[in-house]
Amino acid sequence: MGARRPRRREQVMTATARPRVGFVGLGVMGSAMAGNVLATGAFEVGGFDIDADRRRAFAEAGAVAYDDLAALAAASDIVLTSLPSAAAFAAVLDGLAEHARPGTVVVETSTLDLRTKLDGAARLAGAGIEMLDAPVSGTGAQARTGDLIAYVSGAPEAIERARSLVEAFTRAHFELGDVGKGTLMKLVANHLVAVHNVAAAEALGFAQDLGLDLRQVLAAVGDGAGASRMFGVRGPDMVQGRYEPASIRMDVFAKDLEIIGTAAAEAGTATPLFDAARAVYRDGLSDGLVASDTAVVFEVLRRQPRPNEPAPSGRRESTSITDRKEQP
C-alpha cells in the first residue's frame, strides 16, 4: 500500500508511453468496455478470455489478445476484470497474484458478494497489488455506448491511477471510499433494476390488455412521471418480443438476485417488492428461459393465470415466446 509503489511504476514508463490495460473476461460487458477504451487511443489494450472465439474477435477489433492470463498480467499496468462468478474470480486471482507485477492496479467490475470482493482484495494486497472494487451499473447495450455508471471503492492512490481508464468506458463514476462500498452500492442499484424491470413488464401487459398500442405507450408513458430506465431500456425488447441475444441473461441475473437477497437478510431489511419480483425471475428460469434476456419477464407475467381464472393444476404450461406477434 502507500504511494511508493505507484511512483516506482511511473518511473518505469517513459513520458510518452501509453498505460497498458489488460481486460480479463471478454464477454458482453468486458468486450464492450474494452472496445470503448480502445477507441480512445489513449491506452495499449490487451485482453484474455478462456473462450478462444472471444479472443479471436478481440484481436480482430484491433486489440492484443493473449493466449493465457500469465502473459496478460505480466504485460499490464492496470488489469480490469469482468467475470461471471465467484469461481471465475478465484481462478483469476490465482493468476494475478502469481504473475502481475507489484504495483499493478486491478479494477474489479464484476457483481459478486461482498466477502468475495474483500477476500480478493486482501489476497492481491499480499502480492503487492492494489484492487479497486468497481462494479458497473448498466446493460450490455449500454456498455457498448459507454452509458455505464461505475461504483469505485478502494485506496485513493489506486483510484487516481485508474480514473482515466474508468472515465473511458463510463458515463459517470462515483468514488465511494473503502473497498467493498462499490459492491454495496451495486446491490442497491440491482435491487431497483430487478423491481423496475418486472414493474415495466407488468405495466406493458396492463396496457396490452387495455387495447393500447404498446409503441405509443413506450413514447407517452416513457415521457412522464411513471418512466424508469428499465422501462426505456427493456420496454422496446418487451414490445418486440426480442429476447436473444441477451444483454444480460436470466441465469446470470439470477446470481445477482441471490446475492441481493442474502445481503438484505443479513442486514435485516424487509424487501416485499424485491421478493415478489424475484419470484417472477424464478418462474422464468423454471420455464427454461435461462439464456433469454431479462426482458423476458414480460412473457413470464403474460403466462400467469388471470384474476378469477382457476390456476392450472401442477406446473404452468409454457408457451413459446416466439408465438407472440409483435405489436402493430
Side-chain angles (χ1 to χ4, degrees):
M1 311 283 290
R4 288 194 298 276
R5 272 201 312 276
R7 283 201 296 269
R8 185 171 69 246
R9 294 298 307 283
E10 289 163 6
Q11 290 168 359
V12 173
M13 299 172 63
T14 68
T16 58
R18 295 181 299 170
R20 295 165 293 187
V21 179
F23 284 79
V24 181
L26 301 174
V28 172
M29 296 297 289
S31 62
M33 291 187 287
N36 285 321
V37 172
L38 182 64
T40 69
F43 304 87
E44 293 183 19
V45 179
F48 169 74
D49 195 286
I50 59 174
D51 188 314
D53 289 338
R54 290 178 178 176
R55 297 198 302 270
R56 189 176 305 110
F58 194 67
E60 290 172 354
V64 177
Y66 290 89
D67 290 332
D68 60 74
L69 176 61
L72 177 141
S76 302
D77 302 304
I78 302 175
V79 174
L80 185 145
T81 53
S82 178
L83 303 166
S85 66
F89 179 57
V92 168
L93 277 179
D94 290 339
L96 294 178
E98 183 175 355
H99 299 288
R101 293 169 293 172
T104 299
V105 173
V106 173
V107 181
E108 211 304 293
T109 68
S110 316
T111 301
L112 304 170
D113 65 273
L114 180 61
R115 177 47 53 193
T116 294
K117 290 287 188 99
L118 295 178
D119 289 348
R123 170 84 187 280
L124 292 177
I129 299 165
E130 196 79 65
M131 191 191 96
L132 296 178
D133 170 35
V136 295
S137 180
T139 67
Q142 288 174 288
R144 287 191 290 275
T145 61
D147 186 23
L148 294 177
I149 302 294
Y151 303 125
V152 185
S153 57
E157 298 90 346
I159 292 176
E160 180 64 30
R161 289 188 58 202
R163 185 175 290 115
S164 61
L165 169 64
V166 173
E167 289 173 346
F169 65 84
T170 62
R171 172 168 58 83
H173 74 279
F174 294 87
E175 300 174 9
L176 301 172
D178 295 339
V179 167
K181 293 292 180 63
T183 282
L184 296 179
M185 194 69 74
K186 177 62 187 294
L187 297 185
V188 173
N190 269 14
H191 170 285
L192 286 171
V193 167
V195 172
H196 287 176
N197 188 47
V198 173
E202 182 175 288
L204 286 171
F206 179 36
Q208 188 176 63
D209 289 340
L210 293 174
L212 294 173
D213 183 317
L214 294 191
R215 288 193 178 87
Q216 290 183 343
V217 173
L218 287 178
V221 175
D223 197 34
S228 70
R229 288 303 296 272
M230 284 299 98
F231 190 83
V233 170
R234 294 283 187 236
D237 292 337
M238 295 175 186
V239 170
Q240 297 177 42
R242 181 180 61 212
Y243 309 119
E244 295 179 2
S247 184
I248 180 167
R249 290 167 49 119
M250 285 280 282
D251 57 347
V252 173
F253 196 55
K255 174 262 299 181
D256 296 358
L257 298 179
E258 292 307 310
I259 294 172
I260 295 167
T262 298
E266 291 176 350
T269 305
T271 55
L273 294 179
F274 174 77
D275 295 342
R278 182 162 53 159
V280 178
Y281 294 98
R282 286 174 170 168
D283 285 346
L285 293 173
S286 296
D287 282 347
L289 303 175
V290 175
S292 298
D293 189 87
T294 55
V296 81
V297 296
F298 178 84
E299 305 292 342
V300 178
L301 289 175
R302 299 307 282 164
R303 297 173 184 179
Q304 292 187 352
R306 302 301 182 93
N308 302 321
E309 283 184 355
S313 60
R315 184 172 164 73
R316 292 196 318 273
E317 180 180 353
S318 296
T319 56
S320 171
I321 61 176
T322 60
D323 291 342
R324 185 172 63 83
K325 302 299 184 182
E326 183 177 337
Q327 289 291 312

